[in-house]
Amino acid sequence: MTQTLTPTGARLPASLGRSLRRLALAALLTTLAPATAGAQALQFRIDEGATTNAFYQDGPVAAHVLATSGTRPRLLVAFPAGNSGVAVWFAPTTAPVQWTLQSVRAQPPGDDPAMHGVVAELALRGGPLTLDKAALGSIRVLRDVQLGQPIPAQVETAAKVAAQRISWARRRLDGAPGYRVALEITQGRVVSRAGTITLEPERPNGTVHLRLFASTGETPLTPLAGGELLNAKAAHDPRMRNALQFLSYREKFLAGSWRFDTYFGRDTLMSTRLLMPVLQPAAVEAGLGAVLARLSPQGEVAHEEDIGEFAILRHLASDGTRSDAPIYDYGMIDGDYMLAPVMAAWLVEDPRGQARARAFLAARNELQHSSNGQALLRNLLHVARNSEAFAAAPTFDHLLALKPGRMTGQWRDSEEGLGRGRYPFDVNVVWMPAALRAIGAFVDSGLLDGVADDAQRQALRAAAARADAWERQARALFDVRLDATQADAALRTYARQLGVPVEPAVASLGNDGLTFPALSLDADGRPVPVLHSDIGFGLLFGRPDPDTLAREVAAVMRPFPAGLITDVGMVVANPVFAGQAAWARLGPQAYHGTVVWAWQQAVMLAGLRRQLARDDLPAPVRMQLQQAQARLLELIKAAGAVRTSELWSWRWEQGRYRIEPFGAQGAHEDESNAAQLWSTVFLADPSTHE
């Protein structure tokens, strides 16, 4: 459920010299329009499962407050500034407790002007609550602590108890302004005895009222707000617009909150591409520029960045310094091949981008100490070099593989996400051919003139010519074929284990057996027979022939567990044909298992639309794609309650699949973000909001 928070008062002025008239006006606006936090502030709320999420953004203050009820209560505040945060965990309770988050407002200026934060008013029923632990600093540390790891000794912070107030505060490890969190009890009492601290109501079954103060000294980001972000074509979905605004800054887009409040390359590229029709040009170029700024010297796309205090922790471990210089992760491989097609979609294909292309490429990228065009060229040459081996000898061992020692390398970046494969389908069958075609588009456009020399342009032209053969030959290596008897037996056993109906799935197969592309190839080149949603990438960026198109869309659109379609959406993986060991690893509790990711549905829908724009489709294939499009639209609209979430799971109950917020059950291996960048991409498709 989404709500607008009701503020308890206008934000205090930054200077005592502001006029009384302006203060009076602010107070009047608060009284007359309690659904907003003031003329400039963004406030909204998302309730998911046991957690209430309240978002606040106004100038240098941006914060995401989480209050988790139930038997594992928690208070957490995440700040986009420095990917920082604070959290207080309480000891498990025998009976569920209930937080009510009443309001959030900006903290007034205090003793340190570098500190920015919020004050939240809360009520607690079902107490008492005993404090377990608190952590202050990087969101990366808070994520680890949430998953059961100990708080690093360097950042442990002792609680201070004074009357009705419990507080934790420290400076950053390099002495810079740090982090603060405090609980101030306004009704109830703080009891400190025998090394424990407990929040108690004044009488049995009473309510504890408290204020949560949280602040960070990390450098604030600059919001992309109002007319800087979206154009008039964007859908009028308040929840999605709010989530996107909270995650969008001139410096970078954030992947999601609370767990990923910073740059992620893949998330930025895919979200920018899908939102491109409704983004303002400056917003598109903010996203693309952030990716270019973080390229490696070889042209690799950074997957993630370690910034703020987490960078200091990394430097202390590696070189003994307290440097906060960012550390970039280049362990993923898919982003390297996404960059060119996404850049081409803006600079070569979009008329708005075409008009700005030369200025954008000529602009100096301060993090790269070069122009954007020179940074892009490094990536294009990196792609071209990596296309040579398979083009010369198209065997599986010349495909693009995960980096040595890693089990992850594309968007399914959990350890089991690729079914333990080494050669991902999407990187090899979709992204490399798309990148090669984009290289050709850049060379033909003349945008590289004056950036690439003659030899480099010749190498790029040679690489572009490999695209069609690469796509055709790579795809053949991923084919999985099952006869009807094999498929039927696997379906019945798997459905029985899950406790879901099987007859609609069996009926969808017919008597002709089954062919679909594997999720990946293992180290020996054998297909990993997991059905998957990455087919959508091929629809959006690839050029499948009509027969391949029909076969792959059918593989997706069959009812689960024969395909990916459930009442609550399209699951991203289905291990039904991969054996019982894979069933346990890729189930509804797994981060990249039989769960629904909103953005994957958006990719599939956009891909279907792109393929339907072709003029070479036989009538039966066109009808098949239209039916798939209509069914997918139904599912997207039906999941409106969780539409900005990162992902969700499901349960079978009363004869149908029902949404289960991911992270709501102890068996889930992680939790979902309430606001996820690439889950806002439906703003570019008004039909999903009709």
Side-chain angles (χ1 to χ4, degrees):
M1 183 176 74
T2 305
Q3 297 173 254
T4 301
L5 283 173
T6 303
T8 58
R11 185 182 174 188
L12 291 178
S15 167
L16 293 176
R18 288 185 179 176
S19 68
L20 290 174
R21 183 171 63 184
R22 183 168 179 176
L23 288 174
L25 177 60
L28 178 62
L29 288 173
T30 300
T31 302
L32 296 178
T36 62
Q40 307 254 330
L42 169 74
Q43 281 207 81
F44 63 101
R45 170 171 159 170
I46 298 172
D47 292 348
E48 282 196 353
T51 298
T52 295
N53 301 269
F55 298 83
Y56 185 97
Q57 184 193 72
D58 186 12
V61 180
H64 173 186
V65 180
L66 298 91
T68 301
S69 302
T71 58
R72 298 178 180 180
R74 170 190 69 178
L75 296 174
L76 188 150
V77 183
F79 301 103
N83 196 25
S84 59
V86 297
V88 179
W89 289 270
F90 299 89
T93 60
T94 54
V97 303
Q98 180 64 50
W99 291 109
T100 300
L101 182 52
Q102 298 167 327
S103 68
V104 177
R105 65 184 185 274
Q107 283 193 34
D111 59 332
D112 188 341
M115 301 297 292
H116 301 284
V118 292
V119 183
E121 303 275 352
L122 299 113
L124 169 70
R125 291 193 63 84
L129 278 187
T130 298
L131 292 176
D132 179 13
K133 56 183 173 285
L136 297 73
S138 171
I139 288 293
R140 293 287 297 275
V141 171
L142 269 57
R143 279 164 47 187
D144 290 343
V145 175
Q146 179 65 42
L147 293 172
Q149 296 185 31
I151 299 172
Q154 303 101 309
V155 301
E156 284 187 314
T157 309
K160 294 182 179 180
V161 181
Q164 294 288 84
R165 184 181 176 93
I166 313 160
S167 62
W168 298 259
R170 65 176 180 84
R171 297 191 73 80
R172 208 169 72 164
L173 288 175
D174 60 351
Y179 321 98
R180 301 175 183 175
V181 60
L183 305 177
E184 183 178 274
I185 311 305
T186 57
Q187 181 179 315
R189 57 178 175 261
V190 177
V191 178
S192 180
R193 67 167 71 92
T196 64
I197 303 171
T198 303
L199 312 183
E200 295 183 353
E202 293 176 348
R203 59 184 182 277
N205 302 316
T207 300
V208 175
H209 291 266
L210 60 90
R211 292 191 184 101
L212 167 66
F213 297 82
S215 57
T216 181
E218 298 282 0
T219 303
L221 299 174
T222 312
L224 273 171
E228 294 181 291
L229 184 57
L230 293 168
N231 62 36
K233 296 179 182 178
H236 295 285
D237 184 313
R239 175 167 167 171
M240 285 192 181
R241 283 173 170 259
N242 288 339
L244 179 61
Q245 182 174 331
F246 184 81
L247 298 171
S248 300
Y249 299 85
R250 293 179 187 172
E251 296 85 353
K252 58 191 170 186
F253 292 139
L254 313 181
S257 196
W258 67 274
R259 293 162 53 250
F260 307 126
D261 269 314
T262 193
Y263 162 93
F264 278 69
R266 172 193 312 117
D267 303 59
T268 299
L269 287 170
M270 286 307 305
S271 301
T272 301
R273 174 61 186 88
L274 291 166
L275 284 166
M276 195 174 286
V278 298
L279 288 178
Q280 294 285 13
V284 175
E285 291 169 10
L288 298 179
V291 177
L292 292 174
R294 292 162 175 81
L295 292 182
S296 75
Q298 294 75 35
E300 300 163 293
V301 168
H303 164 59
E304 188 179 2
E305 60 182 4
D306 295 338
I307 59 173
E309 193 170 69
F310 200 73
I312 297 172
L313 286 167
R314 291 281 308 274
H315 283 292
L316 280 170
S318 63
D319 56 32
T321 69
R322 293 179 183 267
S323 169
D324 67 350
I327 299 172
Y328 300 113
D329 174 9
Y330 297 104
M332 299 290 158
I333 60 174
D334 57 341
D336 298 357
Y337 307 94
M338 282 184 193
L339 178 60
V342 175
M343 292 285 291
W346 177 243
L347 299 175
V348 179
E349 299 169 18
D350 191 304
R352 298 171 300 155
Q354 291 172 0
R356 302 164 61 96
R358 294 193 182 278
F360 175 77
L361 291 174
R364 182 170 175 78
N365 195 306
E366 293 301 329
L367 290 181
Q368 287 287 338
H369 305 294
S370 68
S371 70
N372 284 331
Q374 290 166 328
L376 174 61
L377 177 61
R378 289 206 309 278
N379 173 261
L380 302 184
L381 292 171
H382 169 69
V383 172
R385 286 191 298 270
N386 288 349
S387 71
E388 293 171 356
F390 186 77
T395 56
F396 84 88
D397 50 324
H398 291 139
L399 289 169
L400 301 169
L402 303 183
K403 293 189 175 181
R406 296 188 64 109
M407 293 180 68
T408 60
Q410 48 91 268
W411 83 270
R412 300 169 187 269
D413 53 359
S414 57
E415 293 295 285
E416 300 291 346
L418 281 171
R420 303 191 175 182
R422 299 291 306 162
Y423 303 90
F425 167 87
D426 65 330
V427 176
N428 286 286
V429 180
V430 179
W431 295 122
M432 174 58 93
L436 295 175
R437 292 184 182 113
I439 286 173
F442 273 114
V443 174
D444 292 343
S445 72
L447 289 173
L448 299 180
D449 295 351
V451 180
D453 60 30
D454 290 343
Q456 290 169 331
R457 283 198 298 274
Q458 184 176 354
L460 293 175
R461 285 192 184 280
R466 301 171 189 141
D468 290 347
W470 181 296
E471 181 176 359
R472 183 180 64 257
Q473 292 166 335
R475 187 184 297 277
L477 296 173
F478 286 82
D479 276 352
V480 175
R481 299 178 185 275
L482 300 172
D483 63 36
T485 302
Q486 290 174 303
D488 183 272
L491 275 174
R492 293 184 185 280
T493 305
Y494 185 52
R496 191 161 49 247
Q497 188 224 46
L498 289 176
V500 299
V502 72
E503 292 308 327
V506 170
S508 71
L509 290 181
N511 299 315
D512 298 329
L514 188 63
T515 301
F516 62 91
L519 175 62
S520 59
L521 305 182
D522 68 16
D524 296 318
R526 293 185 297 259
V528 176
V530 173
L531 290 159
H532 58 88
S533 59
D534 294 357
I535 287 168
F537 293 138
L539 304 187
L540 186 56
F541 289 93
R543 297 180 181 178
D545 63 70
D547 289 343
T548 300
L549 181 60
R551 185 169 59 248
E552 294 188 353
V553 170
V556 168
M557 298 305 299
R558 291 188 182 98
F560 181 80
L564 304 183
I565 300 302
T566 74
D567 299 328
V568 300
M570 177 186 72
V571 299
V572 300
N574 178 359
V576 56
F577 304 119
Q580 295 195 20
W583 296 354
R585 298 194 298 264
L586 290 171
Q589 79 291 340
Y591 194 50
H592 296 103
T594 54
V595 293
V596 181
W597 286 66
W599 78 285
Q600 283 284 287
Q601 298 188 127
V603 168
M604 187 67 67
L605 187 62
L608 288 167
R609 288 222 167 98
R610 178 173 177 267
Q611 296 300 322
L612 282 167
R614 293 167 53 168
D615 59 9
D616 65 336
L617 296 182
V621 176
R622 182 172 297 279
M623 181 176 293
Q624 178 192 5
L625 267 59
Q626 290 169 337
Q627 291 171 344
Q629 177 181 255
R631 177 63 173 141
L632 198 54
L633 270 171
E634 289 177 3
L635 297 174
I636 290 167
K637 293 176 184 178
V642 289
R643 61 188 178 276
T644 61
S645 300
E646 183 183 11
L647 72 154
W648 56 92
S649 188
W650 54 268
R651 65 185 186 279
W652 179 261
E653 184 178 88
Q654 297 179 343
R656 61 171 298 167
Y657 294 93
R658 298 186 183 274
I659 290 172
E660 183 76 58
F662 195 79
Q665 299 296 327
H668 294 170
E669 64 184 11
D670 211 327
E671 67 180 285
S672 172
N673 290 316
Q676 187 78 6
L677 181 64
W678 54 25
S679 295
T680 68
V681 298
F682 296 107
L683 287 168
D685 192 338
S687 69
T688 61
H689 304 267
E690 293 170 356

